[in-house]
Amino acid sequence: MIKKTLYFFMFLFLVNFVTATTLHGTIYSFDLEKRTDAIVSVDSVPPQTKVAKDGTYSFDLPFGEYTITASYNQDNSKESASENIRIEKEGSFILDLILFPSFEEEELLFEEAEQEVAEHEYFEEPNYLALIIIVILGFGIIIYLILKYKKHTKKPEVTDLTDEVIDFIKKQGGRTTQKDIRKQFPLSEAKISLVVSELEHKNLVKRIKKGRGNIIVLN
């Protein structure tokens, strides 16, 4: 039984050996110059790797599907190539590979630049919440200033003017006209009349009718 098993594996080995195909070719640079010292690999079992010293390579492969890759790294130059091949019959097949420059670093730099631009645009987007807060604060300040201005410019009430009117009459020698009182205080005729009436009620002044006006005399 053991001998039969050994014979079977030997048969498979011989079949693979007999049906092996030679795959070879030349490695070229992007400008179609033969590229020496490129590294060529094939994903066979086991994998095979060779250095194309003279710019050529060769692999013995059984039937199957494979991926041939080649790369060249020297003097900050990165080039690579990859080809898929299916081997279905015996013989010798040529597969030349053309190395193309690798743009991985350029793509990485481009992605970083795009990310920086995106972050810059993100931070430049208006902060609507901050704008709303600023607008509300602005309106609050304006309303406060308006109320403060009105408070300071508010006309005095009638009861607040009685002492001032008495002082004014005293400065006029104890008597004056109602018209002069109105000129002195920024009030309407009706309010001045109310002030005088209140002073009369308190028996502080006396109003004497003269023509179309009134003379106010201190008691």
Side-chain angles (χ1 to χ4, degrees), residues 69-125:
T69 59
S71 62
Y72 177 81
N73 298 324
Q74 188 173 342
D75 299 331
N76 296 325
S77 176
K78 295 183 179 181
E79 302 171 350
S80 61
S82 179
E83 291 287 346
N84 295 323
I85 187 171
R86 183 184 184 90
I87 297 177
E88 297 178 330
K89 58 183 179 179
E90 300 178 23
S92 178
F93 296 94
I94 298 175
L95 179 63
D96 295 332
L97 298 174
I98 299 176
L99 300 175
F100 289 89
S102 175
F103 298 101
E104 292 181 358
E105 294 183 357
E106 289 79 358
E107 290 177 355
L108 181 61
L109 291 174
F110 182 73
E111 290 177 358
E112 291 178 353
E114 282 188 334
Q115 185 176 0
E116 290 180 358
V117 171
E119 291 177 354
H120 183 66
E121 291 178 350
Y122 171 78
F123 286 114
E124 283 189 346
E125 288 183 358

Side-chain angles (χ1 to χ4, degrees), residues 28-79:
Y28 294 99
S29 63
F30 184 66
D31 53 2
L32 299 181
E33 295 290 335
K34 185 181 289 187
R35 178 65 78 193
T36 59
D37 296 328
I39 299 175
V40 187
S41 301
V42 60
D43 59 346
S44 58
V45 180
Q48 302 179 58
T49 300
K50 293 183 179 181
V51 178
K53 290 291 185 181
D54 58 351
T56 62
Y57 74 93
S58 177
F59 293 114
D60 291 327
L61 300 170
F63 295 164
E65 294 182 356
Y66 303 96
T67 299
I68 308 295
T69 59
S71 62
Y72 177 81
N73 298 324
Q74 188 173 342
D75 299 331
N76 296 325
S77 176
K78 295 183 179 181
E79 302 171 350

Side-chain angles (χ1 to χ4, degrees), residues 113-169:
E114 282 188 334
Q115 185 176 0
E116 290 180 358
V117 171
E119 291 177 354
H120 183 66
E121 291 178 350
Y122 171 78
F123 286 114
E124 283 189 346
E125 288 183 358
N127 190 333
Y128 294 106
L129 179 60
L131 290 176
I132 292 173
I133 293 174
I134 292 173
V135 171
I136 292 174
L137 289 176
F139 275 113
I141 293 172
I142 292 172
I143 293 172
Y144 169 77
L145 293 175
I146 291 173
L147 294 176
K148 186 177 180 181
Y149 174 78
K150 286 185 176 180
K151 182 178 180 181
H152 285 287
T153 58
K154 185 178 180 181
K155 293 182 179 180
E157 297 293 335
V158 171
T159 55
D160 297 336
L161 285 175
T162 54
D163 293 337
E164 295 183 23
V165 171
I166 291 295
D167 291 338
F168 175 71
I169 296 172

